C-alpha cells in the first residue's frame, strides 16, 4: 500500500480533491503551503508538542477495561482515553495545531462549524488561549440540542451563530462557515474540525490527530510487547478514527474497523452510515461516500449522537475502505446507548455517545475473539454533554 | 462557432453588451420558469442562466438558497430541468446556460449529462464548485458533446490561475466581482476595473461579470468594463416577491428591460487594454442619463472588428501576468 497519499491535488485515489468555488482555490493552496512549512518548522512543532503535553494533557492513557473484558469473555478491550483530553474530546489535538497555524499565518479571526458542540468548544478554547477572535457556526437544531456547549462557547468568548438554513444541522453549519470564509478569506482562518473538506484539510486534520495512533503504538508495545490485533473507532467525518488508524495502515496484521452511526437502523433510512448506504459524490469540497438521493441531493443524516450526524465521511476513509484496508460496520442508536450504559456501569467511564458506538462494536467483537487478542477502542470523548440525551432515551428526567 | 460565441460576436459587432439573466429552475415551478425565460429573451436578455437547485448551495447567498429550497420542494430534478430546456429550445434562440453544483451533475453521470444537455439545447454549463483542476472529466465530455464549460475567475485568483482559467473557459469567462457569495450589494467592488484589466491582458474571450449586480446603474457600470453583466439574486428576489401574482412574468420582464437598456447599442467594443488613467477609479458612478455611451474607457470605432475585436497593443511595460 502506498504511503505517498494523497497526490499533489489532495486525491486519495478517486476521493478527496478540491471541489470549491474559485474564490477559495488560492487560499487553499496558500493554506497547504503554510501547513507544509509549519510541519518543518521546529519551533512550531515544539510549541505544539508543549501545548499538547501541558495544556491538552497528552499523552492520554491506554487503559485496560478489565471488568468489561471479563464481562465479554473474549478479547481484551483497551480504551485509548481521548475523553481525558482538555475540553473532553480528541478535538483539541487538531484545534491547537490549526489555531497555532492561524496565528502563524497572521490571521486574527478563526471560524469553525460544530455539530455536537465539541469542536466548537475546542476552537473557542484555543481562540481564548491564543487571543483570536472566534465565530462558531452551529445548526439551529443542534443549538437547541446542545445548549450547554453553546453556553460554554459563549463563556470562552466565542460568538455562536445559529444556522437556520437547510436541515439546520452540521452540514448546514459547514455550508455557512464556507460562505463566511469565501467572504472574509483574506482575514479569516477556517478551522475545520473533521477529516474532510477540500485539500489540505483532510491531511492536516489527520496529521494533527495521528498523535492518537502514535501513542497507541508505543503504549501497546510497552503493555502487550506487540501491536494490537484490532482498532475500533467511531466514524462520522472520521477525525478521531483516522488519527488512531493512520499510524497502523502499513501494519497489515492490525485489523482496522470504523463504526458508523446506524441510527434507527439502515433499513429505516434514518441513519448516518454513508459507507454502508451511500454513493460516491461531492460535498463540502471533497469527493467521498455520501448519503444522497438519485438526483444527487444530499440526504439528512440521523444519529442519536450529534457528532456523527453528518451525511458524508472523510475521503481517506473512503479510499481505504475501497482498498479493503478499513472495514466499516454500523451500530444503531439503541446499541450505542447500551454501550454507554455498560461502560458507565462496569468501568465508571461515561463515554460520549459518538464513542459509545465504538464501545458497542468492540463489545460485539470481543465476544467472538479469543482472550489472547487485544482490541483498542478509540474513546474519543466523554459523555457529560450527552447526559440529557441519554436521560430522554431512557425515559427519565434529570434531577 | 457555438451559440454563445456567436452571440457575443454579434453583440460586439453592434457595440452592445450582453445581459445575462439568472433564474432558479423550478422556482416557483418549471412551468413558470419556462414562461420567465421566454419573457426574458423577449425583453432583452442575451443569455439565460438556469440554476439547477442543490440541497447545499455553498456559493450562494440567502436569496438563491431560498429559491433552491423552493425549487427542490416543488420536485425539480436535473432530468426535469433538462426536459424543460428541450421544450424551451423551440421557443427561444438565446443561449441557455446551466449553473449547477457538481454533485447533481455527477449523479446524472458526466457523459449522460453532457449528451442529454447538449441534445436538449443547453449551450453551456457553469459548475460553481468545480475549479479547472478538477474539471477534466466533465470538460472532456462537454467538449465531445459540444457544450461550453464556463469557468469562473475570482478576485483571489492568482495570475497563474487567471491564465489557466482564461485558457480553459469556453463560451465566456465568468468574473466573480467580489469575494463572497451571490447576492445584491449596494456598491460594486472598487478594484473591479483592475481585475478586468488584468484578465484582458491574457484573453480575448468574452468576459461577463456577476455577483452583486442588481440595478440598472450597476449594469451600466459593468457595461463599460465587460462584455456582459450577469444579474441573479435581484431577479430571483423579484420572482420570490411576485410569485403567485398574475403580473409576475410581466413584472420580471419589465425589470429585465430596465437592466438591458444601458447595455444597448453605441458602447463600441468592450475595452481591451484600457489606456492608463482613463478614469478607472470610478467605474461605479451612474452615468448621467444618455451620457453613458461616451465613456472614455471604450475603444471607439463602432463596427471595428466583428467577433475578434481589435486588441490594442499592450502598453509598454504593462504588467505581465
Amino acid at each position: 500500500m502506498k504511503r505517498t497519499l494523497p497526490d499533489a491535488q489532495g486525491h486519495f485515489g478517486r476521493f478527496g480533491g478540491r471541489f470549491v468555488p474559485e474564490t477559495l482555490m488560492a487560499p487553499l493552496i496558500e493554506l497547504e503551503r503554510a501547513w507544509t512549512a509549519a510541519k518543518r518548522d521546529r519551533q512550531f512543532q515544539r510549541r505544539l508538542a508543549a501545548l499538547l503535553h501541558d495544556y491538552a494533557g497528552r499523552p492520554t492513557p491506554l487503559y485496560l477495561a478489565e471488568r468489561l473484558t471479563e464481562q465479554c469473555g473474549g478479547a481484551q478491550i483497551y480504551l485509548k482515553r481521548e475523553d481525558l483530553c482538555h475540553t473532553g474530546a480528541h478535538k483539541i489535538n487538531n484545534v491547537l495545531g490549526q489555531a497555532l497555524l492561524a496565528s502563524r499565518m497572521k490571521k486574527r479571526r478563526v471560524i469553525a462549524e460544530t455539530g455536537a458542540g465539541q469542536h466548537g468548544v475546542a476552537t473557542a478554547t484555543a481562540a481564548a488561549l491564543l487571543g483570536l477572535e472566534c465565530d462558531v457556526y452551529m445548526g439551529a437544531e443542534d443549538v437547541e440540542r446542545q445548549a450547554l456547549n453553546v453556553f460554554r462557547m459563549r463563556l470562552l468568548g466565542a460568538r455562536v451563530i445559529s444556522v437556520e438554513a437547510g436541515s439546520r444541522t452540521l452540514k448546514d453549519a459547514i455550508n455557512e462557515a464556507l460562505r463566511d470564509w469565501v467572504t472574509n478569506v483574506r482575514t479569516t482562518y477556517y478551522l475545520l474540525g473533521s477529516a474532510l473538506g477540500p485539500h489540505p484539510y483532510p491531511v492536516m486534520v489527520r496529521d494533527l490527530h495521528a498523535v492518537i495512533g502514535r501513542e497507541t503504538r508505543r503504549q501497546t508495545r510497552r503493555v502487550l510487547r506487540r501491536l494490537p490485533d484490532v482498532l475500533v473507532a467511531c466514524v462520522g467525518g472520521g477525525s478521531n478514527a483516522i488519527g488512531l488508524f493512520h499510524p497502523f495502515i502499513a501494519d497489515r496484521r492490525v485489523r482496522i474497523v470504523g463504526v458508523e452511526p446506524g441510527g434507527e437502523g439502515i433499513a429505516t433510512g434514518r441513519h448516518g452510515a454513508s459507507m454502508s448506504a451511500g454513493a460516491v459524490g461531492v460535498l463540502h469540497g471533497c469527493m467521498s461516500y455520501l448519503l444522497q438521493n438519485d438526483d444527487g441531493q444530499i440526504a439528512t443524516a440521523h444519529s442519536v449522537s450529534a457528532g456523527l450526524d453528518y451525511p458524508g465521511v472523510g475521503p481517506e476513509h473512503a479510499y481505504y475502505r475501497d482498498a479493503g484496508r478499513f472495514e466499516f460496520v454500523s451500530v444503531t442508536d439503541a446499541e450505542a446507548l447500551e454501550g454507554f450504559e455498560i461502560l458507565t456501569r462496569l468501568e465508571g467511564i461515561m463515554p460520549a455517545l459518538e464513542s459509545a458506538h465504538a464501545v458497542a462494536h468492540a463489545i460485539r467483537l470481543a465476544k467472538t475473539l479469543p482472550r489472547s487478542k487485544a482490541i483498542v477502542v478509540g474513546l474519543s470523548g466523554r459523555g457529560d454533554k450527552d447526559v440529557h440525551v441519554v436521560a430522554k432515551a431512557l425515559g427519565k428526567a434529570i434531577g | 462557432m457555438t451559440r454563445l460565441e456567436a452571440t457575443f460576436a454579434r453583440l460586439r459587432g453592434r457595440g452592445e453588451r450582453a445581459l445575462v439573466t439568472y433564474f432558479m429552475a423550478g422556482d416557483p415551478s418549471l412551468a413558470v420558469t419556462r414562461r420567465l425565460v421566454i419573457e426574458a429573451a423577449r425583453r432583452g436578455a442575451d443569455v439565460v442562466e438556469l440554476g439547477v437547485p442543490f440541497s447545499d448551495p455553498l456559493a450562494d447567498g440567502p436569496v438563491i438558497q431560498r429559491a433552491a429550497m423552493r425549487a427542490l420542494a416543488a420536485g425539480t430534478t436535473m432530468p426535469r430541468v433538462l426536459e424543460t430546456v428541450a421544450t424551451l429550445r423551440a421557443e427561444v434562440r438565446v443561449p441557455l446556460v446551466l449553473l449547477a453544483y457538481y454533485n447533481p451533475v455527477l449523479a446524472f453521470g458526466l457523459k449522460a449529462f453532457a449528451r442529454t444537455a447538449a441534445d436538449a439545447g443547453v449551450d453551456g454549463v457553469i459548475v460553481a464548485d468545480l475549479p479547472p483542476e478538477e474539471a477534466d472529466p466533465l470538460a472532456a465530455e462537454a467538449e465531445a458533446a459540444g457544450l461550453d464549460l464556463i469557468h469562473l475567475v475570482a478576485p483571489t485568483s492568482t495570475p497563474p490561475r487567471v491564465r489557466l482559467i482564461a485558457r480553459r473557459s469556453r463560451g465566456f469567462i465568468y468574473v466573480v466581482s467580489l469575494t463572497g457569495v451571490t447576492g445584491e450589494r449596494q456598491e460594486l467592488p472598487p478594484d473591479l476595473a483592475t481585475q478586468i484589466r488584468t484578465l484582458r491582458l491574457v484573453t480575448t474571450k468574452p468576459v461577463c461579470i456577476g455577483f452583486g449586480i442588481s440595478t440598472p446603474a450597476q449594469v451600466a457600470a459593468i457595461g463599460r468594463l465587460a462584455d456582459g453583466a450577469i444579474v441573479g439574486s435581484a431577479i430571483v428576489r423579484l420572482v420570490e416577491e411576485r410569485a403567485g401574482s398574475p403580473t409576475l412574468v410581466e413584472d420580471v420582464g419589465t425589470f429585465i428591460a430596465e437592466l438591458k437598456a444601458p447595455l444597448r447599442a453605441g458602447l463600441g467594443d468592450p475595452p481591451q487594454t484600457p489606456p492608463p488613467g482613463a478614469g478607472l477609479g470610478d467605474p461605479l458612478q451612474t452615468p448621467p442619463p444618455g451620457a453613458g455611451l461616451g465613456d472614455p474607457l471604450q475603444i471607439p470605432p463602432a463596427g471595428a472588428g466583428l467577433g475578434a475585436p481589435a486588441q490594442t497593443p499592450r502598453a509598454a511595460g504593462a504588467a505581465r501576468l
Side-chain angles (χ1 to χ4, degrees):
Chain A
M1 195 148 302
K2 281 178 291 182
R3 297 298 300 276
T4 52
L5 291 166
D7 72 9
Q9 299 294 334
H11 297 109
F12 299 89
R14 64 174 165 154
F15 302 107
R18 279 191 189 111
F19 295 87
V20 292
E22 170 61 24
T23 307
L24 293 181
M25 284 303 288
L28 284 167
I29 292 164
E30 182 198 341
L31 176 61
E32 184 190 357
R33 288 199 189 115
W35 173 239
T36 307
K39 277 202 293 189
R40 293 195 195 113
D41 178 349
R42 285 212 181 151
Q43 204 190 332
F44 179 91
Q45 290 302 335
R46 266 203 303 274
R47 183 136 186 245
L48 177 58
L51 281 179
L52 288 174
H53 186 270
D54 304 333
Y55 185 77
R58 303 208 73 88
T60 59
L62 183 73
Y63 166 74
L64 173 61
E66 282 187 67
R67 295 194 68 210
L68 180 64
T69 299
E70 202 177 303
Q71 168 101 0
C72 295
Q76 301 170 67
I77 300 174
Y78 287 85
L79 306 176
K80 179 60 176 164
R81 298 289 308 274
E82 295 299 299
D83 60 316
L84 295 176
C85 286
H86 180 43
T87 71
H90 72 289
K91 294 288 186 191
I92 196 78
N93 304 323
N94 167 47
V95 159
L96 286 174
Q98 287 201 57
L100 280 181
L101 182 63
S103 297
R104 195 174 186 274
M105 293 175 76
K106 309 266 188 287
K107 309 270 185 188
R108 301 300 308 159
R109 174 176 181 255
V110 295
I111 55 171
E113 80 295 340
T114 196
Q118 291 305 99
H119 175 59
V121 167
T123 304
T125 299
L129 175 70
L130 299 176
L132 302 168
E133 189 189 335
C134 177
D135 287 342
V136 179
Y137 288 93
M138 190 167 184
E141 190 174 320
D142 293 332
V143 168
E144 288 155 24
R145 285 196 284 192
Q146 301 286 343
L148 180 65
N149 273 342
V150 172
F151 190 61
R152 286 171 79 195
M153 287 184 264
R154 288 183 176 145
L155 285 175
L156 288 159
R159 196 159 65 111
V160 179
I161 301 162
S162 178
V163 179
E164 295 285 348
S167 64
R168 307 164 87 232
T169 60
L170 178 57
K171 92 177 165 73
D172 308 286
I174 297 178
N175 290 337
E176 210 54 36
L178 283 166
R179 289 180 190 122
D180 181 319
W181 202 37
V182 163
T183 308
N184 302 299
V185 66
R186 292 187 171 104
T187 56
T188 296
Y189 183 97
Y190 181 18
L191 209 163
L192 215 160
S194 199
L196 44 81
H199 183 62
Y201 284 106
V203 172
M204 189 160 61
V205 174
R206 172 251 275 166
D207 288 351
L208 287 166
H209 282 307
V211 63
I212 304 170
R214 286 198 302 271
E215 285 176 10
T216 302
R217 282 182 79 90
R218 262 200 322 272
Q219 290 164 326
T220 48
R221 281 224 164 97
R222 197 165 62 228
V223 177
L224 302 167
R225 311 242 161 249
R226 62 183 174 85
L227 296 179
D229 300 286
V230 190
L231 303 173
V232 180
C234 64
V235 177
S239 67
N240 95 87
I242 201 69
L244 175 63
F245 297 168
H246 195 263
F248 292 92
I249 287 171
D251 304 300
R252 300 309 299 260
R253 267 183 281 182
V254 179
R255 219 177 125 186
I256 296 178
V257 186
V259 184
E260 295 195 292
E264 293 171 12
I266 305 284
T268 67
R270 287 178 55 77
H271 59 82
S274 25
M275 293 286 197
S276 314
V280 175
V282 166
L283 177 67
H284 295 148
C286 65
M287 188 173 285
S288 190
Y289 283 97
L290 300 176
L291 298 178
Q292 55 180 316
N293 69 14
D294 291 343
D295 192 42
Q297 307 297 337
I298 308 304
T300 304
H302 170 82
S303 172
V304 68
S305 73
L308 301 181
D309 210 343
Y310 181 75
V313 63
E316 194 164 8
H317 285 292
Y319 173 81
Y320 284 113
R321 179 236 196 199
D322 277 14
R325 181 66 187 98
F326 294 178
E327 300 166 40
F328 286 88
V329 297
S330 69
V331 156
T332 63
D333 288 351
E335 290 166 329
L337 284 162
E338 199 185 328
F340 176 97
E341 283 190 275
I342 293 172
L343 195 69
T344 303
R345 289 294 177 86
L346 287 179
E347 299 288 347
I349 296 172
M350 226 176 264
L353 281 176
E354 291 80 8
S355 324
H357 285 73
V359 171
H361 184 68
I363 291 171
R364 220 151 59 182
L365 199 60
K367 290 176 179 168
T368 68
L369 295 172
R371 284 167 191 276
S372 60
K373 300 287 185 186
I375 299 172
V376 172
V377 179
L379 202 74
S380 54
R382 70 174 185 228
D384 311 42
K385 70 179 174 67
D386 294 318
V387 166
H388 63 290
V389 179
V390 174
K392 197 175 158 202
L394 299 177
K396 290 179 182 163
I398 299 175
Chain B
M1 196 181 274
T2 67
R3 200 180 338 240
L4 275 167
E5 288 164 355
T7 298
F8 285 103
R10 193 176 64 245
L11 290 171
R12 278 186 181 184
R14 292 209 299 248
E16 253 186 79
R17 305 290 184 270
L19 176 67
V20 183
T21 61
Y22 172 98
F23 297 98
M24 174 58 73
D27 173 36
S29 68
L30 283 167
V32 173
T33 300
R34 194 168 170 283
R35 289 170 54 209
L36 287 168
V37 172
I38 293 168
E39 178 73 359
R42 198 173 72 79
R43 302 298 293 270
D46 300 293
V47 178
V48 174
E49 283 181 14
L50 283 176
V52 180
F54 180 49
S55 54
D56 295 81
L58 56 82
D60 286 303
V63 170
I64 293 181
Q65 287 176 44
R66 287 198 302 269
M69 295 311 125
R70 287 193 298 269
L72 288 174
T76 311
T77 59
M78 180 71 88
R80 296 193 57 211
V81 173
L82 294 174
E83 285 163 22
T84 303
V85 171
T87 70
L88 266 171
R89 194 72 280 175
E91 309 260 353
V92 295
R93 282 162 43 199
V94 290
L96 297 169
V97 172
L98 295 186
L99 206 162
Y101 285 84
Y102 197 37
N103 202 52
V105 176
L106 265 180
F108 197 97
L110 299 184
K111 189 190 271 293
F113 168 78
R115 286 194 180 165
T116 313
D119 288 349
V122 173
D123 299 289
V125 58
I126 305 167
V127 185
D129 54 352
L130 191 69
E133 283 88 339
E134 299 288 358
D136 285 351
L138 179 59
E141 298 300 344
E143 190 169 354
L147 202 60
D148 284 328
L149 181 59
I150 297 153
H151 285 292
L152 303 101
V153 64
T156 51
S157 303
T158 54
R161 297 194 60 77
V162 171
R163 276 200 301 272
L164 174 72
I165 292 159
R167 201 165 57 239
R168 296 282 179 84
S169 197
R170 297 277 177 273
F172 65 89
I173 298 164
Y174 189 134
V175 174
V176 176
S177 70
L178 47 82
T179 52
V181 294
T182 58
E184 298 149 83
R185 308 288 200 280
Q186 292 293 323
E187 286 170 17
L188 296 177
D191 50 356
L192 194 54
T194 317
Q195 199 191 341
I196 299 302
R197 194 165 29 177
T198 311
L199 181 57
R200 294 286 197 197
L201 289 172
V202 299
T203 187
T204 54
K205 287 178 185 169
V207 170
C208 295
I209 304 178
F211 282 46
I213 300 162
S214 55
T215 65
Q218 289 172 332
V219 166
I222 296 299
R224 276 172 275 144
L225 295 172
D227 300 87
I230 305 168
V231 181
S233 295
I235 294 171
V236 173
R237 192 171 47 79
L238 190 60
V239 173
E240 179 177 58
E241 285 168 6
R242 305 288 158 87
S245 154
T247 60
L248 165 69
V249 173
E250 194 188 324
D251 292 348
V252 170
T254 303
F255 182 49
I256 285 170
E258 285 167 16
L259 292 171
K260 176 64 187 182
L263 301 177
R264 288 201 191 275
L267 284 168
D269 276 340
Q272 292 293 329
T273 18
L280 282 173
D282 201 18
L284 313 184
Q285 217 173 42
T286 314
L293 308 185
D295 190 274
L297 291 193
Q298 62 183 309
I299 297 153
L306 286 170
Q311 212 175 4
T312 47
R314 279 180 195 161
R320 276 197 60 88
L321 289 173

